[in-house]
Amino acid sequence: MKAIAYRYPLAINNPLSLEDVVLPAPVLQARDLLVRVKAISVNPVDTKVRSSTAPADGQLKVLGWDAVGIVEAVGTGVTKFKLGQRVYYAGSITRPGANSELHAVDERIVALAPNSLNDAQAAALPLTSITAYELLFERLSVAKNGGAGQTLLVIGGAGGVGSILIQLARQLTQLRIIATASRPETRQWCLDLGAHAVIDHAQALTVGLKAIGIDEVDMVASLTQTPQHYAQIIESLKPQGHLAVIDSMDGLDVMPLKAKSIALHWEMMFTRSMFETPDMDEQGKLLAEVAAMVDAGRIRTTANANFGSINAANLRRAHALIESGTAQGKLVLEGF
């Protein structure tokens, strides 16, 4: 099968940072689906793994944790899916990624793809939807249709996770949603997705919040550049507030959270699949719920740029844009 892989962590402008290769087809484990991949999307985790993780002994490593495709074969014990069904999923970081013609994935973290979206549009959704859903309802413990009278600040509202988090919070809760964005186009993007207001993260968060009449917020979803905003996040949160984080907090001291009794929540959407937790199938269930919301017209795809066919050159371009920190929504590729 065709695939895109790398051998060594290299800068993305190096032609060897991602290569077109030919690999054997995956061998299915129990509960696996073999999916013929039709479309993928690219996430910051792809760039972070590629630039920092050396495969063992120069072996080839395939990235990619968002896919849409057709079930071509099933492993032993599969009960949820049949041959020929069109599915979408994010996969597991402990297994080869989906930047390949054929991909093996555990059925418990898979759902039928939204009928109303094409392959590329649907491929934008899985990883970020799981991240946003778990962050909102499981880490921050907001109840469905709850949150009345409370405010959620979303730092990095126009990114992949922010773009779906805004929609889920607006559709499924009563939270007041304040997003951050620094450019006119990303500001409008957040408003179109359902943010009640947008402030500029290029200035102090407290200044932006006060300009719209808010002194403190109940919850912060810090989706990017947490170290840069950390002091301002603490100042912006109410006593006994909640901070949910998905990016790195390397070197940050948690002690400043103590005075306000601020709760810190980590969200990593790979946790369930990494440890095969007893509730691993919750990810398949929530993806099915997201697909139903899409087909009902309640939320929309976050795909914002199609980089063409799935090959190394196009993936290098996508990685470069994500590394620039200016990507809006999701970057998708389709077809080999």
Side-chain angles (χ1 to χ4, degrees):
M1 65 177 183
K2 295 179 181 177
I4 298 87
Y6 76 99
R7 295 180 187 274
Y8 309 101
L10 298 168
I12 197 59
N13 59 1
N14 188 316
L16 298 180
S17 60
L18 291 170
E19 302 179 66
D20 293 303
V21 298
V22 176
L23 296 175
V27 176
L28 297 187
Q29 301 175 13
R31 305 201 71 172
D32 272 357
L33 309 176
L34 181 66
V35 176
R36 183 163 293 276
V37 175
K38 299 296 184 182
I40 61 170
S41 75
V42 184
N43 294 283
V45 65
D46 298 57
T47 69
K48 291 172 184 176
V49 172
R50 189 212 78 246
S51 63
S52 65
T53 304
D57 300 321
Q59 295 178 7
L60 290 167
K61 183 175 181 65
V62 179
L63 303 170
W65 293 284
D66 266 328
V68 172
I70 305 299
V71 178
E72 193 158 292
V74 298
T76 58
V78 168
T79 61
K80 299 176 183 294
F81 298 95
K82 301 176 182 178
L83 301 186
Q85 288 184 310
R86 179 173 171 261
V87 296
Y88 78 145
Y89 57 90
S92 169
I93 200 167
T94 62
R95 303 184 66 179
N99 295 345
S100 56
E101 286 185 294
L102 295 169
H103 187 239
V105 61
D106 190 298
E107 67 167 349
R108 289 171 288 182
I109 55 175
V110 176
L112 296 177
N115 292 320
S116 57
L117 299 182
N118 64 33
D119 293 336
Q121 292 169 332
L125 290 172
L127 184 146
T128 53
S129 293
I130 295 169
T131 301
Y133 192 104
E134 291 183 347
L135 183 151
L136 185 61
F137 298 115
E138 299 180 21
R139 309 299 167 244
L140 292 175
S141 299
V142 179
K144 295 282 183 70
N145 202 37
Q150 295 184 304
T151 300
L152 169 67
L153 175 62
V154 180
I155 298 174
V161 176
S163 295
I164 193 67
L165 177 59
I166 290 170
Q167 295 185 78
L168 290 174
R170 186 60 186 263
Q171 289 294 321
L172 296 176
T173 78
Q174 298 183 57
L175 291 167
R176 183 180 183 188
I177 307 153
I178 312 300
T180 77
S182 60
R183 308 193 308 271
E185 62 270 26
T186 52
R187 175 186 177 86
Q188 190 59 51
W189 173 266
C190 292
L191 291 171
D192 291 345
L193 292 174
H196 293 93
V198 181
I199 64 173
D200 186 353
H201 51 232
Q203 65 178 4
L205 299 177
T206 52
V207 172
L209 289 169
K210 283 181 170 57
I212 59 172
I214 297 176
D215 292 324
E216 294 175 311
V217 300
D218 300 275
M219 307 168 212
V220 172
S222 186
L223 310 178
T224 184
Q225 297 182 329
T226 296
Q228 174 183 327
H229 299 295
Y230 189 54
Q232 283 287 304
I233 289 169
I234 295 169
E235 188 174 346
S236 300
L237 274 165
K238 292 179 180 179
Q240 303 180 85
H242 294 262
L243 168 59
V245 178
I246 67 170
D247 67 341
S248 173
M249 287 186 63
D250 287 348
L252 293 183
D253 183 4
V254 297
M255 286 304 296
L257 302 175
K258 183 178 180 179
K260 285 187 173 181
S261 296
I262 292 170
L264 174 63
H265 309 270
W266 280 108
E267 163 55 25
M268 183 177 179
M269 59 79 52
F270 292 120
T271 297
R272 281 177 159 135
S273 56
M274 283 177 68
F275 296 97
E276 295 199 23
T277 59
D279 64 350
M280 183 171 161
D281 63 351
E282 288 298 316
Q283 292 194 342
K285 292 176 183 177
L286 76 85
L287 285 176
E289 181 179 352
V290 168
M293 292 178 70
V294 170
D295 289 340
R298 298 182 65 190
I299 59 178
R300 72 188 204 197
T301 180
T302 55
N304 194 46
N306 190 319
F307 274 58
S309 58
I310 304 169
N311 60 46
N314 288 340
L315 271 171
R316 286 196 298 270
R317 291 195 301 118
H319 278 230
L321 179 55
I322 287 179
E323 289 180 349
S324 76
T326 61
Q328 177 179 321
K330 291 297 294 293
L331 315 179
V332 297
L333 299 89
E334 60 181 324
F336 286 86

